Amino acid sequence: MKRRDILTGAGALAMAGCAGEQSATGPAGTAETFEWKMVTTWPPGFPGMQTGVMRMVEQIEKASGGRLKIKIYAGGELVPPLEVFDAVSRGSVEMGHGAAYYWKGKTEAAQYFTTIPFGMTVLEMNGWLYYGGGLELYRELYADFNLVPFPAGNTGVQMGGWFNREINSIEDLKGLRMRIPGIGGEALARAGGAPVTLPASEVFTSLQTGVIDASEWVGPYNDQVLGLQETARYYYYPGWHEPGPTLECIVNKEAFASLPEDLRTIIELATTALNESMMAEYTARNADSLAALQDNPDIDIRRFPDEVLDELRRYVDEIIAELVARDPRAAKIDASFQAYRTKVARWTEISEKAFLNTRR
Ligand code: CA
């Protein structure tokens, strides 16, 4: 038999086996179905993030033969975007999608699992999370909040953001009101700026009405979806504050434990697939979208001066040293993160970075 015939035959057999069993049963013979609710921090239908979550949920439903159905509520539809963590933690809903650094008000240590400014790229973050002890620490931290976290998406290196003034020296950040979350925002504060954390849905209006002077969001693709190119002239790179931010899927601990093993495995697989496919999507769409910005005479794409990046790095180092000194949970995670970063940087130096430097 040719390979194609074998596959067709196997398919026919599998279908025959299912005939008459329309209510799919799991391997353990259970026909129990689960109907879950999921809340996200993203606007309805938002490309990349929300659409990625929608794709994942569809895969979970198909892979489970309809035994795990998840109804998604975008940011604000059931709970405000930045209350996803609380909603899943207290069990009002079973599942959520967002980014760990939004929850620094709950535990500052969470920020390590999204990104640390000047920290790790997406390849390095995934290395740490899946094979360097990061995921165990992530689960240990979130267990205190009744949550099981899964890495579930990444945008890759982001852009530095949109500014309505040139940034030629660190002085130019003084008094700047900017949407920038996490430790990146704290670094801006040390430079004399005023960071704010806003969900995607509020960024455009805040910039357009002058409530803020600058904002980072993601990169060429997503920033144009929000219309940020209409609000500011200067588009700076690189995204020093988010070199490879991991997004997360969080599941209420009791809800997760209530699932049979195969459904738990399906969640594990589907989130891992999203972690990979979202990165691929951002790579492709950012490349598509960059051209329009480069051709736009009203947009000035610039690199941050080294002097500015050096100062920001110094602030980040100070912020992390203080964080580690006051928060034992952050200290434990930081030790793992920094040791891994040092180790993997040696490899990146002679692999990715060395190769990229050869490219013309
Ligand atoms: Ca961002």
Side-chain angles (χ1 to χ4, degrees), residues 3 43 71 120 186-187 235-237 278 291 328:
R3 181 171 160 75
K71 179 155 173 49
M120 297 202 270
E186 289 181 57
Y235 196 23
Y236 274 92
Y237 67 90
M278 192 187 289

Side-chain angles (χ1 to χ4, degrees), residues 62-73:
K62 281 184 187 163
S64 69
R67 288 160 54 228
L68 179 51
K69 292 192 171 77
I70 300 165
K71 179 155 173 49
I72 310 171
Y73 297 88

Side-chain angles (χ1 to χ4, degrees), residues 101 158 179 181 216-218 241-242:
Y101 64 10
Q158 297 202 349
R179 185 269 179 198
E216 69 80 52
W217 172 231
V218 176
H241 62 304
E242 298 196 69

Side-chain angles (χ1 to χ4, degrees), residues 209-230:
T209 58
V211 171
I212 54 176
D213 313 304
S215 181
E216 69 80 52
W217 172 231
V218 176
Y221 174 48
N222 270 178
D223 291 4
Q224 288 182 95
V225 171
L226 289 188
L228 302 189
Q229 72 281 6
E230 291 159 28

